[in-house]
């Protein structure tokens, strides 16, 4: 069965089913579980990078806007890390050997690279549910991982309540 399961989580509500499924699979196969969050500017609820666009046109606002964005980014990163720690504790309390990590990068590539380096047997992740056009225009992290991942990938479909 699986010995190492990597659960790629964002901080959206859609990540809860991914986490639940990862814990269940890790328990049933007695696998180690790694919770991974990749910080990126495209993530839902991340600070708006647009605040920095056009800074060169307003030199007096540069430092203040940059400082505001950095503070928002640090708060977002800390909130995400706190959520990972909480989920790690939940999985550990359920009897799963669990670790967590958070890193900055392009989600698809970062997930695949991490999975390869950690020698993952299975990657669990969700999907945003973009239309075909949306995926074409915006790209799809889950599609990238399915095509470039070093191991099996399980896409957990979340269902609207």
């Amino acid at each position: 069965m699986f010995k190492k399961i990597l659960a790629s989580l964002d901080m959206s509500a859609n990540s809860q089913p991914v986490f639940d499924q990862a814990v269940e699979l890790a328990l049933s196969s007695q696998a180690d579980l790694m919770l991974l969050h990749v910080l990126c500017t495209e993530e839902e609820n991340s600070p708006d990078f647009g605040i920095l666009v056009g800074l060169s046109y307003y030199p007096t606002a540069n430092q203040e806007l940059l400082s505001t964005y950095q503070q928002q980014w640090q708060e977002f990163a800390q909130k995400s890390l706190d959520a990972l720690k909480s989920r790690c504790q939940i999985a550990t309390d359920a009897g799963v050997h669990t670790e967590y990590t958070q890193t900055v990068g392009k989600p698809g590539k970062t997930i695949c690279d991490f999975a390869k380096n950690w020698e993952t047997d299975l990657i669990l992740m969700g999907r945003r549910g973009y239309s075909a056009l949306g995926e074409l225009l915006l790209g799809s992290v889950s599609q990238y991982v399915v095509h470039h991942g070093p191991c099996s990938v399980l896409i957990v479909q979340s269902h609207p309540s």
Side-chain angles (χ1 to χ4, degrees), residues 98-147:
T98 309
E99 299 175 66
Y100 65 91
T101 189
Q102 177 168 272
T103 188
V104 177
K106 286 189 62 113
K109 181 167 179 13
T110 302
I111 293 164
C112 290
D113 290 346
F114 189 93
K116 182 179 178 185
N117 292 334
W118 195 58
E119 299 178 350
T120 303
D121 300 308
L122 177 67
I123 299 170
L124 271 84
M125 59 188 308
R127 60 184 293 272
R128 290 185 182 162
Y130 288 136
S131 66
L133 179 61
E135 285 189 1
L136 179 65
L137 296 174
L138 300 171
S140 167
V141 175
S142 56
Q143 249 184 5
Y144 182 93
V145 173
V146 164
H147 291 295

Side-chain angles (χ1 to χ4, degrees), residues 8-13 15 36-49 73 76-77 79-81 83 87 102-105 107 128 130 141:
S8 175
L9 305 171
D10 61 15
M11 294 302 123
S12 71
S15 69
L36 171 66
H37 177 239
V38 181
L39 286 165
C40 71
T41 55
E42 294 86 26
E43 184 175 350
E44 183 179 318
N45 300 321
S46 71
D48 185 9
F49 191 69
W73 185 259
F76 175 69
K79 184 178 177 183
S80 300
L81 190 60
R87 285 181 167 165
Q102 177 168 272
T103 188
V104 177
R128 290 185 182 162
Y130 288 136
V141 175

Side-chain angles (χ1 to χ4, degrees), residues 41 47-49 51-52 65-73:
T41 55
D48 185 9
F49 191 69
I51 190 173
L52 301 179
L65 287 174
L66 184 58
S67 177
T68 299
Y69 178 77
Q70 288 174 329
Q71 180 180 353
Q72 290 173 349
W73 185 259

Side-chain angles (χ1 to χ4, degrees), residues 79-92:
K79 184 178 177 183
S80 300
L81 190 60
D82 291 344
L84 273 179
K85 287 179 184 177
S86 174
R87 285 181 167 165
C88 181
Q89 189 60 54
I90 291 167
T92 300

